[in-house]
Coordinates of all heavy atoms in Angstrom, one line a residue:
M1 N 62.8 28.4 -26.0 CA 63.6 28.2 -27.3 C 65.1 28.7 -27.1 O 65.2 29.7 -26.5 CB 63.0 28.9 -28.4 CG 61.6 28.4 -28.8 SD 61.7 26.9 -29.6 CE 60.3 27.0 -30.7
A2 N 65.9 27.9 -27.6 CA 67.3 28.3 -27.7 C 67.7 28.7 -29.1 O 67.3 28.0 -30.0 CB 68.2 27.2 -27.2
K3 N 68.3 29.9 -29.2 CA 68.8 30.3 -30.5 C 70.2 29.7 -30.8 O 71.1 29.8 -30.0 CB 68.9 31.8 -30.5 CG 69.1 32.5 -31.9 CD 68.9 33.9 -32.0 CE 67.5 34.4 -31.6 NZ 66.5 34.0 -32.5
I4 N 70.2 28.9 -31.9 CA 71.4 28.2 -32.3 C 71.8 28.7 -33.6 O 71.1 28.8 -34.6 CB 71.3 26.7 -32.3 CG1 70.9 26.2 -30.9 CG2 72.5 26.0 -32.8 CD1 70.6 24.7 -30.8
T5 N 73.2 29.1 -33.8 CA 73.7 29.5 -35.1 C 74.5 28.3 -35.7 O 75.5 27.8 -35.0 CB 74.6 30.8 -34.9 OG1 73.8 31.8 -34.4 CG2 75.2 31.2 -36.3
Y6 N 74.2 27.9 -36.8 CA 74.9 26.9 -37.6 C 75.7 27.6 -38.6 O 75.1 28.3 -39.5 CB 73.9 25.9 -38.2 CG 73.0 25.2 -37.2 CD1 71.8 25.8 -36.8 CD2 73.3 23.9 -36.8 CE1 70.9 25.1 -36.0 CE2 72.4 23.2 -35.9 CZ 71.2 23.8 -35.5 OH 70.4 23.2 -34.7
I7 N 77.0 27.4 -38.7 CA 77.8 28.0 -39.7 C 78.4 27.0 -40.6 O 79.1 26.1 -40.2 CB 78.9 28.9 -39.1 CG1 78.3 29.9 -38.1 CG2 79.7 29.5 -40.1 CD1 79.4 30.7 -37.3
E8 N 78.0 27.1 -41.9 CA 78.5 26.2 -43.0 C 80.0 26.4 -43.2 O 80.5 27.4 -42.8 CB 77.7 26.4 -44.2 CG 76.3 26.0 -44.2 CD 75.6 26.2 -45.5 OE1 76.1 25.5 -46.6 OE2 74.7 27.0 -45.7
F9 N 80.6 25.5 -43.8 CA 82.0 25.6 -44.1 C 82.4 26.8 -44.8 O 83.5 27.4 -44.7 CB 82.5 24.3 -44.9 CG 84.0 24.2 -45.1 CD1 84.9 23.9 -44.0 CD2 84.6 24.6 -46.3 CE1 86.2 23.9 -44.2 CE2 85.9 24.6 -46.5 CZ 86.8 24.2 -45.4
D10 N 81.5 27.2 -45.8 CA 81.7 28.4 -46.6 C 81.4 29.7 -45.9 O 81.6 30.8 -46.4 CB 80.9 28.4 -47.9 CG 79.4 28.4 -47.7 OD1 78.9 28.7 -46.6 OD2 78.8 28.4 -48.8
G11 N 81.0 29.7 -44.6 CA 80.7 30.9 -43.8 C 79.3 31.3 -43.8 O 78.9 32.2 -43.0
S12 N 78.4 30.6 -44.6 CA 76.9 30.9 -44.5 C 76.4 30.6 -43.2 O 76.7 29.5 -42.6 CB 76.2 30.1 -45.6 OG 76.7 30.4 -46.9
E13 N 75.6 31.5 -42.6 CA 75.0 31.2 -41.3 C 73.5 31.0 -41.3 O 72.9 31.6 -42.2 CB 75.3 32.5 -40.4 CG 76.7 32.7 -40.0 CD 76.9 33.8 -39.0 OE1 76.0 34.3 -38.4 OE2 78.1 34.2 -38.8
H14 N 73.1 30.1 -40.5 CA 71.7 29.8 -40.3 C 71.4 29.9 -38.8 O 72.0 29.2 -38.0 CB 71.4 28.4 -40.8 CG 71.9 28.1 -42.2 ND1 71.1 28.4 -43.3 CD2 73.1 27.7 -42.7 CE1 71.7 28.1 -44.4 NE2 72.9 27.7 -44.1
V15 N 70.5 30.8 -38.5 CA 70.1 30.9 -37.0 C 68.7 30.3 -36.9 O 67.8 30.6 -37.7 CB 70.1 32.4 -36.7 CG1 69.6 32.5 -35.2 CG2 71.5 33.0 -36.9
A16 N 68.6 29.4 -35.9 CA 67.4 28.7 -35.7 C 67.0 28.7 -34.2 O 67.8 28.7 -33.3 CB 67.5 27.3 -36.2
D17 N 65.7 28.8 -34.0 CA 65.1 28.7 -32.6 C 64.8 27.2 -32.5 O 64.0 26.6 -33.2 CB 63.9 29.5 -32.5 CG 64.1 31.0 -32.4 OD1 65.2 31.4 -31.8 OD2 63.4 31.8 -32.9
V18 N 65.5 26.6 -31.5 CA 65.3 25.1 -31.3 C 64.7 24.9 -29.9 O 65.2 25.4 -28.9 CB 66.7 24.4 -31.5 CG1 66.5 22.9 -31.3 CG2 67.3 24.8 -32.8
K19 N 63.7 24.1 -29.9 CA 63.0 23.7 -28.7 C 63.9 22.9 -27.7 O 64.5 21.9 -28.1 CB 61.7 22.9 -29.0 CG 60.8 22.6 -27.9 CD 59.6 21.8 -28.5 CE 58.8 21.2 -27.4 NZ 57.7 20.4 -27.9
P20 N 63.9 23.2 -26.4 CA 64.6 22.4 -25.5 C 64.2 20.9 -25.5 O 63.0 20.7 -25.7 CB 64.4 23.1 -24.1 CG 64.1 24.5 -24.5 CD 63.3 24.4 -25.8
G21 N 65.1 20.1 -25.4 CA 64.8 18.6 -25.4 C 65.1 18.0 -26.7 O 65.4 16.8 -26.8
L22 N 65.1 18.8 -27.8 CA 65.6 18.3 -29.1 C 67.1 18.3 -29.1 O 67.7 18.9 -28.3 CB 65.0 19.2 -30.2 CG 63.5 19.3 -30.5 CD1 63.2 20.3 -31.6 CD2 63.0 17.9 -30.8
S23 N 67.6 17.6 -30.1 CA 69.1 17.6 -30.2 C 69.4 18.8 -31.2 O 68.6 19.3 -31.9 CB 69.6 16.3 -30.8 OG 69.2 16.1 -32.2
V24 N 70.7 19.2 -31.2 CA 71.2 20.1 -32.1 C 71.0 19.7 -33.5 O 70.7 20.4 -34.4 CB 72.7 20.5 -31.8 CG1 73.3 21.4 -32.8 CG2 72.8 21.1 -30.4
M25 N 71.1 18.4 -33.8 CA 70.9 17.8 -35.1 C 69.5 18.0 -35.5 O 69.2 18.4 -36.6 CB 71.3 16.3 -35.1 CG 71.1 15.6 -36.5 SD 70.6 13.9 -36.3 CE 68.9 14.1 -35.7
E26 N 68.5 17.6 -34.7 CA 67.1 17.7 -34.9 C 66.7 19.2 -35.2 O 66.0 19.5 -36.2 CB 66.2 17.2 -33.8 CG 66.3 15.7 -33.6 CD 65.6 15.3 -32.4 OE1 65.9 15.9 -31.2 OE2 64.9 14.4 -32.4
G27 N 67.4 20.1 -34.6 CA 67.2 21.5 -34.8 C 67.6 21.9 -36.2 O 67.0 22.6 -36.9
A28 N 68.7 21.4 -36.7 CA 69.2 21.6 -38.0 C 68.3 21.0 -39.0 O 67.9 21.7 -40.0 CB 70.6 21.1 -38.2
I29 N 67.9 19.8 -38.9 CA 67.0 19.1 -39.8 C 65.7 19.8 -39.9 O 65.2 20.1 -41.0 CB 66.8 17.6 -39.4 CG1 68.1 16.9 -39.4 CG2 65.8 17.0 -40.3 CD1 68.9 16.8 -40.7
R30 N 65.1 20.2 -38.8 CA 63.8 20.8 -38.8 C 63.8 22.3 -39.4 O 62.8 22.8 -39.8 CB 63.2 21.0 -37.4 CG 62.8 19.6 -36.8 CD 62.2 19.7 -35.5 NE 61.9 18.3 -35.0 CZ 61.0 18.1 -34.1 NH1 60.4 19.1 -33.4 NH2 60.8 16.8 -33.7
N31 N 65.1 22.8 -39.5 CA 65.2 24.2 -40.0 C 65.9 24.2 -41.4 O 66.4 25.2 -41.8 CB 65.9 25.1 -39.0 CG 64.9 25.4 -37.8 OD1 64.0 26.2 -38.0 ND2 65.1 24.7 -36.7
N32 N 66.0 23.0 -42.0 CA 66.6 22.9 -43.3 C 68.0 23.4 -43.4 O 68.4 24.1 -44.4 CB 65.7 23.5 -44.4 CG 64.3 22.8 -44.4 OD1 64.2 21.6 -44.4 ND2 63.3 23.7 -44.3
V33 N 68.8 23.2 -42.4 CA 70.2 23.6 -42.4 C 71.0 22.6 -43.3 O 71.0 21.5 -42.9 CB 70.8 23.7 -41.0 CG1 72.3 24.1 -41.0 CG2 70.1 24.7 -40.2
P34 N 71.6 23.1 -44.3 CA 72.4 22.2 -45.2 C 73.7 21.8 -44.5 O 74.3 22.6 -43.7 CB 72.7 23.0 -46.4 CG 72.5 24.4 -46.1 CD 71.6 24.4 -44.9
G35 N 74.3 20.7 -44.7 CA 75.5 20.3 -44.2 C 75.5 19.3 -43.1 O 76.5 18.8 -42.6
I36 N 74.3 19.0 -42.6 CA 74.2 18.0 -41.5 C 73.2 16.9 -42.2 O 72.1 17.1 -42.4 CB 73.5 18.5 -40.2 CG1 74.5 19.5 -39.6 CG2 73.1 17.4 -39.3 CD1 74.1 20.0 -38.2
D37 N 73.9 15.8 -42.5 CA 73.2 14.7 -43.2 C 72.3 13.8 -42.3 O 71.2 13.4 -42.7 CB 74.1 13.9 -44.0 CG 74.9 14.7 -45.1 OD1 74.5 15.8 -45.5 OD2 76.0 14.2 -45.5
A38 N 72.8 13.6 -41.2 CA 72.0 12.8 -40.2 C 71.6 11.4 -40.8 O 70.4 11.1 -40.6 CB 70.9 13.6 -39.6
D39 N 72.5 10.7 -41.4 CA 72.0 9.4 -42.0 C 71.4 8.5 -41.1 O 70.5 7.7 -41.5 CB 73.3 8.8 -42.8 CG 73.8 9.6 -44.0 OD1 73.0 10.4 -44.5 OD2 74.9 9.2 -44.4
C40 N 71.8 8.4 -39.8 CA 71.3 7.3 -38.9 C 70.0 7.9 -38.2 O 69.5 7.2 -37.4 CB 72.3 6.9 -38.0 SG 72.8 8.0 -36.7
G41 N 69.7 9.2 -38.4 CA 68.5 9.7 -37.8 C 68.7 10.1 -36.3 O 67.7 10.3 -35.6
G42 N 69.9 10.1 -35.9 CA 70.2 10.5 -34.5 C 70.4 9.4 -33.5 O 70.4 9.6 -32.3
A43 N 70.8 8.2 -34.1 CA 71.0 7.1 -33.2 C 72.5 6.9 -32.8 O 72.8 5.8 -32.2 CB 70.5 5.8 -33.9
C44 N 73.3 7.9 -33.1 CA 74.7 7.8 -32.8 C 75.4 6.5 -33.4 O 76.1 5.8 -32.9 CB 75.0 7.8 -31.2 SG 76.7 8.2 -30.8
A45 N 74.9 6.3 -34.7 CA 75.4 5.2 -35.4 C 76.1 5.5 -36.7 O 76.4 4.7 -37.6 CB 74.3 4.2 -35.7
C46 N 76.5 6.8 -36.8 CA 77.2 7.3 -38.0 C 77.9 8.6 -37.5 O 77.9 9.0 -36.3 CB 76.3 7.6 -39.2 SG 75.2 9.0 -39.1
A47 N 78.5 9.3 -38.4 CA 79.2 10.5 -38.0 C 78.8 11.6 -39.0 O 79.6 12.6 -39.2 CB 80.7 10.4 -38.0
T48 N 77.6 11.6 -39.5 CA 77.2 12.5 -40.6 C 76.5 13.8 -40.0 O 75.8 14.5 -40.7 CB 76.3 11.8 -41.7 OG1 75.1 11.4 -41.1 CG2 77.1 10.7 -42.4
C49 N 76.6 14.0 -38.7 CA 76.1 15.2 -38.1 C 77.2 15.9 -37.3 O 76.9 16.6 -36.4 CB 74.9 14.9 -37.2 SG 75.2 13.9 -35.7
H50 N 78.4 15.6 -37.7 CA 79.6 16.2 -37.0 C 79.6 17.7 -37.1 O 79.3 18.3 -38.1 CB 80.8 15.6 -37.8 CG 82.1 16.1 -37.4 ND1 83.2 16.3 -38.3 CD2 82.6 16.5 -36.2 CE1 84.2 16.7 -37.6 NE2 83.9 16.8 -36.3
V51 N 79.9 18.3 -35.9 CA 80.0 19.7 -35.8 C 81.2 20.1 -34.9 O 81.7 19.2 -34.2 CB 78.7 20.4 -35.2 CG1 77.5 20.2 -36.2 CG2 78.4 19.9 -33.9
Y52 N 81.6 21.3 -35.0 CA 82.6 21.9 -34.1 C 81.9 22.9 -33.2 O 81.3 23.8 -33.6 CB 83.7 22.6 -34.9 CG 84.4 21.8 -36.0 CD1 84.2 22.0 -37.3 CD2 85.2 20.7 -35.6 CE1 84.8 21.2 -38.3 CE2 85.8 19.9 -36.6 CZ 85.6 20.2 -37.9 OH 86.2 19.4 -38.8
V53 N 82.0 22.6 -31.9 CA 81.3 23.5 -30.9 C 82.2 24.7 -30.6 O 83.3 24.5 -30.3 CB 81.0 22.6 -29.7 CG1 80.4 23.5 -28.5 CG2 80.0 21.4 -30.0
D54 N 81.5 25.8 -30.6 CA 82.2 27.1 -30.2 C 82.8 26.9 -28.8 O 82.2 26.3 -28.0 CB 81.2 28.2 -30.3 CG 81.9 29.5 -30.1 OD1 82.4 30.1 -31.1 OD2 81.9 30.0 -29.0
E55 N 84.0 27.4 -28.7 CA 84.8 27.2 -27.4 C 84.0 27.7 -26.2 O 84.0 27.1 -25.2 CB 86.1 28.1 -27.5 CG 86.9 27.9 -26.3 CD 88.3 28.6 -26.4 OE1 88.9 28.7 -27.5 OE2 88.7 29.2 -25.4
A56 N 83.2 28.8 -26.4 CA 82.4 29.3 -25.3 C 81.3 28.4 -24.7 O 80.8 28.5 -23.6 CB 81.7 30.7 -25.6
F57 N 80.9 27.4 -25.5 CA 79.9 26.4 -25.2 C 80.4 25.0 -24.9 O 79.6 24.1 -24.7 CB 78.8 26.5 -26.2 CG 77.9 27.7 -26.2 CD1 78.3 28.8 -26.9 CD2 76.8 27.7 -25.4 CE1 77.5 29.9 -26.8 CE2 76.0 28.8 -25.3 CZ 76.3 30.0 -26.0
Q58 N 81.6 24.8 -25.0 CA 82.1 23.4 -24.8 C 81.8 22.8 -23.5 O 81.3 21.6 -23.4 CB 83.6 23.3 -25.0 CG 84.0 23.4 -26.5 CD 85.5 23.3 -26.7 OE1 86.3 23.8 -26.0 NE2 85.8 22.6 -27.8
E59 N 81.9 23.6 -22.4 CA 81.5 23.0 -21.1 C 80.0 22.8 -21.0 O 79.6 21.8 -20.5 CB 81.9 24.0 -20.0 CG 81.8 23.5 -18.6 CD 82.4 24.3 -17.5 OE1 83.5 24.8 -17.7 OE2 81.7 24.5 -16.5
A60 N 79.2 23.7 -21.5 CA 77.7 23.6 -21.5 C 77.2 22.4 -22.3 O 76.2 21.8 -21.9 CB 77.1 24.9 -21.9
T61 N 77.9 22.0 -23.3 CA 77.4 20.9 -24.1 C 77.9 19.5 -23.6 O 77.4 18.5 -24.0 CB 77.9 21.0 -25.6 OG1 79.4 21.1 -25.7 CG2 77.3 22.2 -26.3
G62 N 78.8 19.6 -22.7 CA 79.3 18.4 -22.0 C 80.4 17.7 -22.8 O 80.7 18.1 -23.9
K63 N 80.8 16.5 -22.3 CA 81.7 15.7 -22.9 C 81.1 14.5 -23.8 O 80.0 14.1 -23.3 CB 82.7 15.1 -21.9 CG 83.4 16.2 -21.1 CD 84.8 15.7 -20.8 CE 85.6 16.8 -20.0 NZ 86.2 17.8 -20.8
P64 N 81.7 14.1 -24.8 CA 81.2 13.1 -25.6 C 81.3 11.8 -24.8 O 82.2 11.5 -24.0 CB 82.0 13.0 -26.9 CG 83.3 13.7 -26.6 CD 82.9 14.7 -25.4
S65 N 80.2 10.9 -25.0 CA 80.3 9.6 -24.4 C 81.2 8.7 -25.1 O 81.8 9.0 -26.2 CB 78.8 9.0 -24.5 OG 78.5 8.7 -25.9
A66 N 81.5 7.5 -24.6 CA 82.4 6.6 -25.2 C 81.9 6.2 -26.6 O 82.6 6.1 -27.6 CB 82.7 5.4 -24.4
M67 N 80.6 6.0 -26.7 CA 80.0 5.6 -28.0 C 80.1 6.7 -29.1 O 80.5 6.5 -30.2 CB 78.5 5.3 -27.9 CG 77.8 4.9 -29.2 SD 76.1 4.7 -29.0 CE 76.0 3.0 -28.6
E68 N 80.0 8.0 -28.6 CA 80.1 9.1 -29.5 C 81.6 9.2 -30.0 O 81.8 9.5 -31.1 CB 79.7 10.4 -28.8 CG 79.8 11.6 -29.7 CD 79.3 12.9 -29.0 OE1 78.8 12.9 -27.9 OE2 79.5 14.0 -29.6
E69 N 82.5 9.1 -29.0 CA 83.9 9.2 -29.4 C 84.3 8.1 -30.4 O 85.0 8.3 -31.4 CB 84.8 9.0 -28.2 CG 84.8 10.2 -27.3 CD 85.7 10.1 -26.1 OE1 86.2 9.0 -25.8 OE2 85.9 11.1 -25.5
S70 N 83.7 6.9 -30.3 CA 83.9 5.8 -31.3 C 83.3 6.2 -32.6 O 84.0 5.9 -33.7 CB 83.2 4.5 -30.9 OG 83.8 4.0 -29.7
M71 N 82.2 6.8 -32.7 CA 81.6 7.3 -34.0 C 82.4 8.4 -34.6 O 82.5 8.5 -35.8 CB 80.1 7.7 -33.8 CG 79.2 6.6 -33.6 SD 79.1 5.4 -35.0 CE 80.0 4.0 -34.4
L72 N 83.0 9.3 -33.7 CA 83.8 10.4 -34.3 C 85.0 9.9 -35.1 O 85.6 10.6 -35.9 CB 84.2 11.3 -33.1 CG 83.1 12.3 -32.7 CD1 83.5 13.0 -31.4 CD2 82.8 13.4 -33.8
D73 N 85.4 8.6 -34.7 CA 86.6 8.0 -35.5 C 86.3 7.9 -37.0 O 87.2 7.8 -37.8 CB 86.9 6.7 -34.9 CG 87.6 6.7 -33.6 OD1 88.1 7.7 -33.2 OD2 87.6 5.7 -32.9
F74 N 85.0 7.9 -37.3 CA 84.6 7.8 -38.7 C 84.5 9.2 -39.4 O 84.2 9.3 -40.6 CB 83.3 7.1 -38.9 CG 83.3 5.7 -38.4 CD1 82.9 5.3 -37.2 CD2 83.9 4.7 -39.2 CE1 83.0 3.9 -36.7 CE2 84.1 3.4 -38.8 CZ 83.6 3.1 -37.5
A75 N 84.5 10.3 -38.6 CA 84.4 11.6 -39.2 C 85.8 12.1 -39.7 O 86.8 11.7 -39.2 CB 83.9 12.6 -38.1
E76 N 85.7 13.0 -40.6 CA 86.9 13.6 -41.2 C 87.3 14.9 -40.4 O 86.4 15.6 -39.8 CB 86.7 14.0 -42.7 CG 86.5 12.8 -43.6 CD 86.3 13.3 -45.0 OE1 86.8 14.4 -45.4 OE2 85.7 12.5 -45.8
N77 N 88.5 15.2 -40.3 CA 89.0 16.4 -39.7 C 88.5 16.7 -38.3 O 88.0 17.8 -37.9 CB 88.7 17.6 -40.6 CG 89.3 17.5 -42.0 OD1 90.5 17.2 -42.1 ND2 88.5 17.8 -43.0
V78 N 88.6 15.7 -37.4 CA 88.1 15.7 -36.1 C 89.1 16.6 -35.3 O 90.3 16.6 -35.5 CB 88.1 14.3 -35.4 CG1 87.8 14.4 -33.9 CG2 87.0 13.5 -36.1
Q79 N 88.5 17.5 -34.5 CA 89.2 18.5 -33.7 C 88.8 18.3 -32.3 O 87.9 17.5 -32.0 CB 88.8 19.9 -34.1 CG 89.0 20.2 -35.6 CD 90.5 20.3 -36.0 OE1 91.3 20.7 -35.2 NE2 90.8 19.7 -37.2
P80 N 89.5 18.9 -31.3 CA 89.2 18.7 -29.9 C 87.7 19.2 -29.5 O 87.2 18.7 -28.6 CB 90.2 19.6 -29.1 CG 91.4 19.7 -30.1 CD 90.8 19.6 -31.5
N81 N 87.2 20.1 -30.3 CA 85.8 20.5 -30.1 C 84.8 19.8 -31.0 O 83.7 20.3 -31.1 CB 85.8 22.1 -30.3 CG 86.1 22.5 -31.7 OD1 86.8 21.9 -32.4 ND2 85.6 23.7 -32.0
S82 N 85.2 18.7 -31.6 CA 84.2 18.0 -32.4 C 83.2 17.2 -31.6 O 83.5 16.6 -30.5 CB 85.0 16.9 -33.3 OG 85.7 17.5 -34.3
R83 N 82.0 17.3 -32.1 CA 80.8 16.5 -31.4 C 80.0 16.1 -32.5 O 79.9 16.5 -33.6 CB 80.1 17.5 -30.5 CG 80.8 17.9 -29.2 CD 81.1 16.8 -28.2 NE 79.9 16.0 -27.9 CZ 79.1 16.3 -26.9 NH1 79.2 17.4 -26.1 NH2 78.0 15.5 -26.6
L84 N 79.1 15.1 -32.2 CA 78.0 14.7 -33.0 C 76.8 15.4 -32.5 O 76.4 15.3 -31.4 CB 77.8 13.1 -32.9 CG 78.9 12.3 -33.4 CD1 78.6 10.8 -33.3 CD2 79.4 12.6 -34.9
S85 N 76.2 16.2 -33.4 CA 75.2 17.1 -33.0 C 73.9 16.3 -32.6 O 73.1 16.9 -31.8 CB 74.8 18.1 -34.1 OG 74.4 17.4 -35.3
C86 N 73.8 15.1 -32.9 CA 72.7 14.3 -32.4 C 72.8 14.0 -31.0 O 71.8 13.6 -30.3 CB 72.5 13.0 -33.2 SG 73.8 11.8 -32.9
Q87 N 74.0 14.1 -30.4 CA 74.2 13.8 -29.0 C 74.3 15.0 -28.1 O 74.5 14.9 -26.9 CB 75.6 13.1 -28.9 CG 75.6 11.7 -29.6 CD 74.5 10.8 -29.1 OE1 74.5 10.4 -28.0 NE2 73.5 10.5 -30.0
I88 N 73.9 16.2 -28.7 CA 73.9 17.4 -27.8 C 72.4 17.8 -27.6 O 71.7 18.2 -28.6 CB 74.6 18.6 -28.5 CG1 76.1 18.2 -28.7 CG2 74.6 19.8 -27.6 CD1 76.9 19.2 -29.6
R89 N 71.9 17.7 -26.4 CA 70.5 18.0 -26.1 C 70.4 19.5 -25.8 O 71.2 20.1 -25.1 CB 70.1 17.3 -24.8 CG 69.8 15.9 -25.0 CD 68.4 15.6 -25.7 NE 68.5 14.4 -26.4 CZ 68.0 14.1 -27.6 NH1 67.2 15.1 -28.2 NH2 68.1 13.0 -28.2
V90 N 69.5 20.1 -26.5 CA 69.2 21.5 -26.4 C 68.6 21.8 -25.0 O 67.7 21.1 -24.6 CB 68.4 22.1 -27.5 CG1 68.0 23.5 -27.4 CG2 69.1 21.9 -28.9
S91 N 69.0 22.9 -24.4 CA 68.4 23.4 -23.1 C 68.6 24.9 -23.2 O 69.3 25.4 -24.1 CB 69.2 22.8 -21.9 OG 70.6 23.4 -21.9
D92 N 67.9 25.5 -22.2 CA 68.1 27.0 -22.1 C 69.5 27.4 -22.0 O 69.9 28.5 -22.4 CB 67.2 27.5 -21.0 CG 65.7 27.4 -21.3 OD1 65.3 27.2 -22.4 OD2 64.9 27.3 -20.3
A93 N 70.3 26.6 -21.3 CA 71.8 26.9 -21.1 C 72.5 27.0 -22.5 O 73.6 27.6 -22.6 CB 72.4 25.9 -20.3
L94 N 71.9 26.4 -23.6 CA 72.6 26.5 -24.9 C 72.1 27.6 -25.7 O 72.4 27.7 -26.9 CB 72.5 25.2 -25.6 CG 73.1 24.0 -24.9 CD1 73.0 22.8 -25.8 CD2 74.6 24.3 -24.6
D95 N 71.3 28.6 -25.2 CA 70.8 29.7 -25.9 C 72.1 30.5 -26.4 O 72.9 30.9 -25.6 CB 69.9 30.6 -25.1 CG 69.3 31.7 -25.9 OD1 68.9 31.5 -27.1 OD2 69.2 32.8 -25.4
G96 N 72.2 30.7 -27.7 CA 73.3 31.4 -28.3 C 74.4 30.5 -28.8 O 75.4 31.0 -29.3
L97 N 74.2 29.2 -28.7 CA 75.2 28.2 -29.2 C 75.6 28.5 -30.6 O 74.7 28.7 -31.4 CB 74.6 26.8 -29.0 CG 75.5 25.6 -29.6 CD1 76.8 25.5 -28.8 CD2 74.7 24.4 -29.6
V98 N 76.9 28.3 -30.9 CA 77.4 28.4 -32.3 C 78.0 27.1 -32.6 O 78.9 26.7 -31.8 CB 78.3 29.6 -32.5 CG1 78.9 29.6 -33.9 CG2 77.6 30.9 -32.1
V99 N 77.7 26.5 -33.7 CA 78.4 25.3 -34.2 C 78.8 25.5 -35.6 O 78.1 26.2 -36.4 CB 77.5 24.0 -34.1 CG1 77.3 23.7 -32.6 CG2 76.2 24.1 -34.8
R100 N 80.0 25.0 -35.9 CA 80.5 25.1 -37.3 C 80.4 23.7 -37.9 O 80.7 22.8 -37.2 CB 81.9 25.7 -37.3 CG 81.9 27.2 -36.9 CD 83.3 27.8 -36.8 NE 83.2 29.2 -36.5 CZ 82.8 29.8 -35.5 NH1 82.4 29.1 -34.5 NH2 82.8 31.1 -35.4
L101 N 80.1 23.7 -39.2 CA 80.1 22.4 -40.0 C 81.3 22.2 -40.7 O 81.9 23.1 -41.2 CB 78.9 22.5 -40.9 CG 77.5 22.9 -40.2 CD1 76.5 22.9 -41.3 CD2 77.2 22.0 -39.1
P102 N 81.8 20.9 -40.8 CA 82.9 20.6 -41.5 C 82.7 20.7 -43.0 O 81.5 20.8 -43.4 CB 83.2 19.1 -41.1 CG 81.9 18.6 -40.8 CD 81.1 19.7 -40.1
E103 N 83.8 20.6 -43.8 CA 83.6 20.8 -45.3 C 82.8 19.6 -45.9 O 82.0 19.8 -46.8 CB 85.0 20.8 -45.9 CG 84.9 20.9 -47.4 CD 86.3 21.1 -48.0 OE1 87.3 20.9 -47.3 OE2 86.4 21.5 -49.2
S104 N 82.9 18.5 -45.3 CA 82.1 17.3 -45.7 C 81.7 16.4 -44.6 O 82.5 16.3 -43.5 CB 83.0 16.5 -46.7 OG 82.4 15.3 -47.0
Q105 N 80.6 15.7 -44.7 CA 80.3 14.7 -43.6 C 80.6 13.3 -44.1 O 80.3 12.3 -43.3 CB 78.7 14.8 -43.4 CG 78.3 16.1 -42.8 CD 78.7 16.2 -41.4 OE1 79.4 15.5 -40.7 NE2 78.2 17.4 -40.8
H106 N 81.3 13.1 -45.2 CA 81.7 11.8 -45.7 C 83.1 11.6 -46.0 O 83.8 12.5 -46.2 CB 80.8 11.5 -46.9 CG 79.4 11.5 -46.7 ND1 78.7 10.5 -46.0 CD2 78.4 12.5 -47.0 CE1 77.4 10.8 -45.9 NE2 77.2 12.0 -46.5

């Protein structure tokens, strides 16, 4: 299990143990983390699971695919560390990952 910290826009933290192989989005949904809507269910067909990846984990989470970058065009307040959490696969290397949630997913 990888321990992932989800930080809401207001600073509220949610720490969840997420099974390797799941996505960061699935970890949020399974642990009732508010702020990740996941309207498309993880198909990389919306931008309602937008997160900001902590700088220390940017390399470990990898670079977004071309499809993910296209979907990020629909997100608000995109930053260089923006990712769609449905596209980040959890592994042991992501133990301790911190992601911050934007003010809104719409």
Side-chain angles (χ1 to χ4, degrees):
M1 295 287 215
K3 191 170 294 298
I4 299 177
T5 302
Y6 301 85
I7 303 175
E8 292 181 62
F9 185 77
D10 69 4
S12 300
E13 292 188 12
H14 305 272
V15 179
D17 289 322
V18 182
K19 183 177 168 183
L22 294 177
S23 69
V24 171
M25 179 214 73
E26 289 170 312
I29 298 301
R30 290 180 181 203
N31 289 282
N32 299 312
V33 175
I36 292 186
D37 297 342
D39 288 347
C40 74
C44 197
C46 71
T48 62
C49 67
H50 177 211
V51 296
Y52 303 111
V53 175
D54 187 82
E55 186 177 319
F57 284 90
Q58 285 184 318
E59 189 171 314
T61 57
K63 300 219 180 270
S65 68
M67 179 186 274
E68 182 180 352
E69 286 181 353
S70 292
M71 286 298 105
L72 281 167
D73 287 342
F74 296 102
E76 294 181 24
N77 301 314
V78 173
Q79 304 294 323
N81 61 335
S82 288
R83 291 293 308 273
L84 297 182
S85 59
C86 69
Q87 298 301 296
I88 303 171
R89 286 280 153 218
V90 175
S91 68
D92 291 336
L94 296 186
D95 187 38
L97 173 66
V98 175
V99 294
R100 289 175 173 72
L101 309 179
E103 184 173 11
S104 171
Q105 294 286 5
H106 300 284

